[in-house]
Amino acid sequence: MKRLPAAVFLIVVASALFSSVYNYCKTESKIESDADNALRLALEEIPCDVVSADTIRCYRNHLTIAELRDTACITVRTVTRNGRQETELVAEAKCDFFTVFRMSDQRASGTLLLLGVIWLAGSMWYMRRYRPELFVEGVSYGGIVYANDRFMTSKGEEIRFTPMQHTLLEMFMNSETHSLSKQEICDRLWPKKPDASDTLYTLIKRIKPIIEEYSNLKIESDRGKSYSLELK
């Protein structure tokens, strides 16, 4: 349960990242296409093999993306074709990462990221409010949480017991089967008392309604030989 909010958050963040990268690449491709198209139109108007001020001016006038008009340029590149070296003009947009990112549409990724943060924050609030046992290192059973030598409900409300009641419930919670023999309890709580049967009976009688009030648990007796903390 504790991992679910984080898993959903990671999925949403991954989706936001994918959307962001997709739109970035899409914008980058659009920029390159605009630069190439502007150079083609410029060369149709001013056919030449060298770059002149008129060529650059014409080239920039054909750019449809306004942000490129101050940075776009034309470079001369040497290529080999059929064993011969030739020169060709190449359009360059000269846009850095932040410029392309600013020009790309990041609304979808931003919205997804915001929703992810809201989801994670809301989930953490909900679980801390209604499932605090998920955030403490301790033992949880039937709606009772034992952590830091304190008992609390699954909603975080502290349950107060007398010292004897506290020790008895601690023994139940720390037992793997949540069952204790009568002798085991008496040896722990009244080691010097020869017969603590009546005292144990009274202790069980008084702690039962507290446990049943604050949890989904009840104490069952097996012919007075052992006691079990069981789900209702």
Side-chain angles (χ1 to χ4, degrees):
M1 178 64 181
K2 186 177 178 180
R3 297 178 181 177
L4 179 60
V8 174
F9 174 73
L10 290 176
I11 292 173
V12 174
V13 169
S15 301
L17 181 61
F18 175 81
S19 175
S20 178
V21 172
Y22 172 79
N23 285 301
Y24 180 92
C25 293
K26 183 179 178 181
T27 301
E28 193 174 42
S29 177
K30 183 179 178 181
I31 289 172
E32 292 175 358
S33 177
D34 189 47
D36 291 339
N37 186 61
L39 178 59
R40 180 182 62 79
L41 294 175
L43 294 179
E44 288 179 359
E45 290 187 20
I46 309 176
C48 62
D49 294 329
V50 295
V51 179
S52 65
D54 290 337
T55 306
I56 295 176
R57 188 182 308 109
C58 183
Y59 162 64
R60 289 182 172 175
N61 287 337
H62 283 295
L63 290 168
T64 60
I65 301 176
E67 289 85 351
L68 304 181
R69 289 172 184 163
D70 293 331
T71 60
C73 63
I74 302 173
T75 60
V76 179
R77 182 172 64 185
T78 301
V79 296
T80 301
R81 292 194 181 94
N82 300 323
R84 296 170 50 191
Q85 287 191 335
E86 300 178 0
T87 59
E88 65 177 9
L89 301 182
V90 179
E92 291 189 0
K94 292 289 185 181
C95 288
D96 58 23
F97 170 82
F98 294 103
T99 301
V100 178
F101 186 83
R102 179 172 52 81
M103 293 170 59
S104 61
D105 185 1
Q106 298 295 330
R107 288 175 295 180
S109 57
T111 300
L112 284 171
L113 184 60
L114 179 61
L115 290 175
V117 171
I118 292 174
W119 160 264
L120 186 62
S123 298
M124 292 300 101
W125 174 86
Y126 177 84
M127 289 198 296
R128 285 187 180 279
R129 179 73 172 80
Y130 297 103
R131 299 293 303 278
E133 72 273 15
L134 298 176
F135 294 88
V136 295
E137 294 295 331
V139 182
S140 176
Y141 178 55
I144 289 183
V145 182
Y146 177 61
N148 301 322
D149 201 34
R150 293 189 307 123
F151 290 100
M152 67 182 76
T153 67
S154 58
K155 294 184 179 181
E157 181 183 357
E158 186 174 358
I159 308 173
R160 298 189 179 278
F161 296 100
T162 65
M164 283 292 183
Q165 292 171 348
H166 185 285
T167 303
L168 176 60
L169 186 55
E170 179 187 352
M171 293 174 66
F172 277 124
M173 295 293 285
N174 289 330
S175 170
E176 291 185 3
T177 60
H178 302 294
S179 297
L180 300 168
S181 67
K182 174 183 174 181
Q183 191 62 46
E184 185 179 358
I185 299 172
C186 291
D187 288 345
R188 171 72 180 277
L189 298 182
W190 306 281
K192 297 181 180 180
K193 197 169 185 178
D195 185 4
S197 299
D198 292 340
T199 309
L200 175 57
Y201 175 80
T202 302
L203 178 61
I204 295 292
K205 182 179 179 181
R206 290 179 178 176
I207 197 175
K208 271 186 174 183
I210 303 176
I211 292 175
E212 293 180 5
E213 178 183 356
Y214 289 100
S215 70
N216 298 319
L217 298 171
K218 61 181 179 179
I219 295 179
E220 291 289 343
S221 173
D222 181 14
R223 300 176 184 177
K225 297 179 179 180
S226 65
Y227 294 91
S228 300
L229 191 63
E230 301 177 358
L231 295 171
K232 292 179 182 178

